[in-house]
Amino acid sequence: MPSEAALQLVQEAKLSQTTGSLRAYHTERVRHVMLETRQLHAELAPMAELARAEQASGQARPNAALAARLVAYHLQAYRNKRCLLAYHRQRLDWLRARVWDKAGSLSLVLDEGPEGMRASLRTLLDPTEFEWLRSYAALVALYKDAFLDVLDVTWPITQGISPAHAREALGSDFRAPASSVAPNAIRPPEDVMLSVLVTRNVSHVETERGTMHLRAGERLHVRRDEVEGLLLRGWLRETD
């Protein structure tokens, strides 16, 4: 059946999403879908050339059989690509959520679950996925560095460690400041942010999040969609 392997990938992604667990990466099935898609494109090319030639010749009646085959092959290739995207998107979303839940710590992500999960989680990932996971964890850690001065970095990242055990591990003389915000409470940024330099004094600028007061020479870190109009007017200048 055409696209059967692709549909199986989607079903597996749906099952993984429902159960909240990550299943092993199906390398052979993914390769099968990619090979099938390339074969469809190889067959589509000569048929498309034939259809163009018939159209250029000015035939009175178009070739209905050829048109049907073109549409069918195109839809099969399109479905395969969509299924591959859905399969990989679900896996990356699962991994991305675990990285943020573990405060960007790759070792804690790999240690998640019952004892021995670290080795099994590595086997569930494709080598390319594992390299992406390492790079993304490093990116999250770099992003969270800016918040270490306002968060309690001694807050236990894993639920199995209590604050008392964390303080005990750091020494009996250690006294951590009280905080109700955990580092892993930070979520991925949902807006495009940018740093700008104010070039004009403006007392009141109404935005979605309230009123802004601009002073020339001031540097701000704001959402791009809020200040797009000010950038076009030249009241702000992007610095990076």
Side-chain angles (χ1 to χ4, degrees):
M1 176 182 175
S3 302
E4 181 178 2
L7 292 176
Q8 290 176 353
L9 289 177
V10 173
Q11 292 171 357
E12 182 174 335
K14 182 63 177 178
L15 179 61
S16 177
Q17 187 178 35
T18 303
T19 59
S21 60
L22 189 68
R23 303 174 68 86
Y25 186 83
H26 273 289
T27 304
E28 293 300 325
R29 190 171 296 170
V30 170
R31 289 178 178 174
H32 176 76
V33 175
M34 295 177 65
L35 176 61
E36 180 181 302
T37 305
R38 285 195 292 266
Q39 291 174 345
L40 288 170
H41 280 293
E43 295 184 21
L44 274 170
M47 287 192 295
E49 290 295 333
L50 181 58
R52 294 191 191 97
E54 291 181 355
Q55 185 178 11
S57 64
Q59 290 186 1
R61 298 182 59 184
N63 191 336
L66 179 60
R69 291 182 61 192
L70 276 170
V71 173
Y73 282 26
H74 172 75
L75 291 178
Q76 289 176 21
Y78 181 76
R79 179 186 298 173
N80 285 353
K81 294 176 183 179
R82 296 284 294 178
C83 291
L84 284 173
L85 286 173
Y87 176 71
H88 290 93
R89 173 63 184 271
Q90 187 276 328
R91 294 181 64 85
L92 292 184
D93 285 346
W94 190 94
L95 293 172
R96 182 163 49 241
R98 295 308 177 276
V99 170
W100 282 93
D101 288 341
K102 300 303 180 183
S105 174
L106 179 61
S107 60
L108 290 177
V109 173
L110 298 177
D111 284 335
E112 184 180 10
E115 186 176 358
M117 182 66 178
R118 180 170 187 169
S120 61
L121 182 58
R122 287 178 180 270
T123 61
L124 297 179
L125 300 178
D126 181 75
T128 305
E129 286 182 318
F130 184 71
E131 289 301 321
W132 175 88
L133 184 62
R134 291 178 56 185
S135 301
Y136 188 74
L139 182 63
V140 171
L142 181 63
Y143 170 75
K144 288 196 172 187
D145 280 345
F147 300 94
L148 293 181
D149 58 338
V150 295
L151 298 177
D152 181 8
V153 296
T154 65
W155 187 288
I157 299 176
T158 59
Q159 296 181 356
I161 303 176
S162 65
H165 290 164
R167 287 192 293 270
E168 182 179 354
L170 292 172
S172 57
D173 296 333
F174 180 80
R175 295 294 183 269
S179 174
S180 59
V181 181
N184 53 350
I186 304 175
R187 308 313 304 168
E190 298 179 354
D191 303 313
V192 178
M193 308 294 292
L194 73 162
S195 298
V196 296
L197 176 66
V198 181
T199 60
R200 178 174 177 176
N201 292 319
V202 183
S203 58
H204 291 84
V205 177
E206 296 295 334
T207 66
E208 294 180 2
R209 296 188 176 182
T211 303
M212 296 177 59
H213 303 279
L214 305 180
R215 291 185 294 272
E218 186 179 23
R219 294 182 180 272
L220 303 174
H221 191 65
V222 293
R223 292 197 314 175
R224 184 178 186 88
D225 58 347
E226 285 190 327
V227 298
E228 191 73 37
L230 302 179
L231 289 169
L232 294 176
R233 292 187 180 94
W235 296 1
L236 301 177
R237 187 174 72 248
E238 188 174 355
T239 58
D240 56 9

